[in-house]
Amino acid sequence: MKFICPTIGEDHEKDFLVSGSLEDFKIIVFSSLEEYEKGFEYLELADYKPTEVSIDLFKALAKNDDEFSGLILNIHSENKIISKEELESFV
């Protein structure tokens, strides 16, 4: 499974768009490029670019980063929270 994520920066220096605090943050993701474009407009983003990211990265984050608390999927419509625990259980 893959998500489309707004990122800023280049190569290994890319930063995700997040919500929350440094101690408890969620990464904003989209289910498709079409949803990304709608969300991009909804959030009025500038300078961010779509990046395809595997769920494996988020599973690793869930396991290894205490501050990471999950994902926000399609914030402009579904606004679905995928918790850290749910990510760890994805096969």
Side-chain angles (χ1 to χ4, degrees):
M1 175 182 266
K2 295 191 185 263
F3 296 102
I4 306 297
C5 304
T7 59
I8 195 163
E10 297 296 325
D11 300 322
H12 296 294
E13 298 297 320
K14 287 184 182 178
D15 291 319
F16 291 106
L17 182 61
V18 301
S19 178
S21 66
L22 290 175
E23 296 81 29
D24 180 24
F25 69 92
K26 292 178 180 62
I27 297 175
I28 296 171
V29 301
F30 298 94
S31 57
S32 67
L33 194 52
E34 181 180 310
E35 292 299 326
Y36 172 87
E37 289 169 359
K38 291 176 189 175
F40 192 86
E41 187 175 313
Y42 171 81
L43 294 170
E44 299 178 359
L45 298 176
D47 300 326
Y48 282 84
K49 295 184 176 148
T51 302
E52 188 176 74
V53 179
S54 169
I55 194 168
D56 294 335
L57 174 77
F58 299 122
K59 287 170 64 174
L61 256 169
K63 183 177 180 180
N64 300 312
D65 190 331
D66 292 336
E67 289 79 24
F68 174 66
S69 60
L71 303 174
I72 302 174
L73 178 64
N74 297 332
I75 194 169
H76 63 290
S77 58
E78 290 177 67
N79 201 25
K80 178 182 170 140
I81 304 297
I82 301 172
S83 72
K84 181 178 194 168
E85 295 74 26
E86 287 176 280
L87 283 168
E88 289 174 337
S89 68
F90 272 86
V91 179

